[in-house]
Amino acid sequence: MEINPVNQGGVEQKYWRDLSSRSVSVRGVWDRAVDAWMDDDVEELDAVWDEILDLIGSDYDGYSNVSSIGWSA
């Protein structure tokens, strides 16, 4: 499966991270993902996605959420 990083277009450029597309094997969770998709089970799809993102390691946030980057108090 190819996973593309989040769109950083709404983030100030000085906070952009150098992220590229990643390829990971999802063989271990593929059947669960397909079953959850067929059953319209969003909670299970989220659980499977979290397992897939764990395979990415330290770049997890670059592929899940960047909404807090660039915010200041």
Side-chain angles (χ1 to χ4, degrees):
M1 168 183 276
E2 182 177 284
I3 300 174
N4 295 300
V6 296
N7 179 351
Q8 299 181 69
V11 177
E12 288 183 56
Q13 191 168 7
K14 66 181 179 179
Y15 294 109
W16 284 14
R17 294 176 55 197
D18 185 23
L19 300 168
S20 60
S21 295
R22 300 283 299 270
S23 294
V24 295
S25 174
V26 294
R27 184 174 295 157
V29 294
W30 183 254
D31 289 340
R32 282 179 49 212
V34 171
D35 290 343
W37 178 63
M38 295 294 291
D39 294 338
D40 200 25
D41 185 346
V42 175
E43 289 180 15
E44 178 66 4
L45 279 172
D46 281 344
V48 170
W49 181 242
D50 285 341
E51 287 184 38
I52 293 169
L53 285 178
D54 282 343
L55 300 172
I56 292 176
S58 63
D59 284 340
Y60 172 90
D61 286 338
Y63 299 84
S64 62
N65 187 353
V66 293
S67 62
S68 62
I69 294 176
W71 287 57
S72 59

